[in-house]
Amino acid sequence: MATRSSGQLVAVLDFGAQYGQLIARRVRDLHVYSELVPCDVSAAELAQMKPSALILSGGPASVYAEDAPHVDPAIFELGLPILGFCYGHQTMAVALGGEVAHAEKGEYGPASLVRSGSSELLMSTPGEQTVWMSHRDSVCRVPKGFSVTARTETCPVAAMECAERRLYATQFHPEVRHTDYGRRMLENFLFGICRLEPNWTMDNLIDEKVDQIRAQVGNDRVILGLSGGVDSSVVAALVHRAVGDQLTCVFVNHGFLRQGEPELVEEVFRDQFDMSFVHVHAEERFLRLIAGVTDPEKKRKLIGTEFWKVFFEEAQRLDGVRFMAQGTIYPDIIESGARKTGGKASTIKSHHNLIPFPPGVHFDLIEPLDHFFKDEVRELGMALGLPESMVYRQPFPGPGLAIRIIGEVTSEKLEILKAADAIVREELDAYNTRLFEQTGEHNSEHSCWQYFAVLPDIRSVGVMGDERTYGHTVIVRAVESSDAMTADWAKLPYEVLGSISSRIVAEVAGVNRVAYDVTPKPPATIEWE
C-alpha cells in the first residue's frame, strides 16, 4: 500500500457492484484514502490492514441465493464504523439477525426518499429528497438495536442505523450523482461519524511517492518504456523527480503515432525535464513487419511483440539497470483479478506477469501509480508540471494508427490518416475548449471524450476541379463517454462537421469523401478494429 501517508484508510468491500470503483473514488474526492477489498476478506485480514472505516458495496446477487457472497460476520465486532449500500445494506441486515424479502415490485432509478426520525448519516439533508435505487429485494425486518431512518413508497427500510455501534446502511446509492445529497451523506459518515481528516492531497502524495521511490531505488538505475501516453508520462515525471539522472526513458517510435506526437514527447522529456532520453526510430522496421497484414488482431500482436523486442534490445545496451518503471494504474490491478460467480471478487492481483521479459532478462518493477485512478493520475501529472495537452490526452491504442487503417498499412495511407486525424483533433480540440470555457469541465455533458479519423479500405468516385477522382474516404469518429464501457456518438454542430469535412478534402491529398460514424457503443465499439 503506497498512498496512506495519513494513516487513514476506508476499505470498500466489493460484492461485484457496478459502482464499486465509484465508491472508492467518491471517498477519495473527499480527500480520504480508500481501497477496494474483496468481499470475502476475513475479519482477521481486515484487522491487519488497520482500516479507519468500512463501506460495503452493492452487488448483483440476492442475499439468499445459493452462491451469494457473504461478509464475515466478525467484521461487525471489530468496532469500526461501517456503512452499507444496496446489497451491502441487505447483507448487513442478514448478518446481524435481520431479514430480507423479495419485493413484489422492484425499484430502479430515481425515487423519493422520506426521512423518519433523527439520523447521523442523513443529518443536514431534507426530509424529502431524490435518491437512486436499483433493487428488487429489500430489508423487511431490521436487526436488533437498529432504527429505520428513511423509506420510499415501495421500500419501508430505505435506510437504517445503529448509532451505538456506528453501523449504517442505505438501500439506495449515495455514491452516484443522481442521489441529490449523496455527497453530504458521505461527508457525514467520514467526518462526523468516523472523525477522519480530509488530508489525502496531491501535494502530500507527491512527497510520499518520491520518498518511496528513492528508498526502493537507492543508487541503482531505472529504465522506463515511454509511450507518450498519460500513465507512462506521469510515471516518468514522478520517477525523475525522485531519482533524477538514474532514470533513462526509452521511447520506441513505431511510426504509428499521431502527427506531432513524437516531437512533443521528445520536447517535453528531453528539453523541458532534461531527462536521459533515448529515441529509438523504428518506423521502417515496424512498417516492414506488418506489410501485407490485414487482420487487426494479427496487427496488434505483431506490433505489441515487436515493441517489447525493440525495447529490451535497447535496455540491454544500458549498464547497471536494476529497475523497470511502468504505468500500471489501479483499475488495471482491479480488473486483472478474476471474478467468481455471484459477483464475489477474488483476491486482487497485479498483471506483472504480462511483461514479456526475454530469456535471461529481468528487472524489478516500480509501479508508483498502482493505487491511482485515471483522473487522479491526470491530477498528479498537472501537479508535476506536465503540459495539459499530454495530461488530458485522449485514449489511444498501443498499436496506434495501424489499427485505424482498415486493411493493409502502407506509408501512403499513414500519411493520409495522420494529416486527416490532425485536422479532426484540431477542430474538436477547439470545440472542446469552447465548451470547457463555458462549463469548467474537461468532459462536460456535450464535450467529446474521444475523437479521431479512420481510413477504411475503400475508394469512391468524386469530382474535384471539374475532374473525376477516385479517392480515399475518411471516417470521423467522435463519442461522448466517461469510462469507455458505453459511449454515444457526439452530437456535433453541423458547422463543426462541415469545417472538418471541408478541410480534410481541401488539405489532404487523395481524399475526396468524409463520413461521420453515428453508431453508439454497443452495438459498435469506439475503435473500428
Side-chain angles (χ1 to χ4, degrees), residues 255-271:
F256 307 133
L257 293 174
R258 293 171 289 199
Q259 190 176 89
E261 283 194 327
E263 295 79 9
L264 173 64
V265 172
E266 184 159 0
E267 176 188 347
V268 169
F269 293 102
R270 189 196 297 279
D271 300 338

Side-chain angles (χ1 to χ4, degrees), residues 8 75 150 343 381 387 427 459 471:
Q8 300 179 152
I75 72 165
E427 290 290 327
R459 294 184 181 232

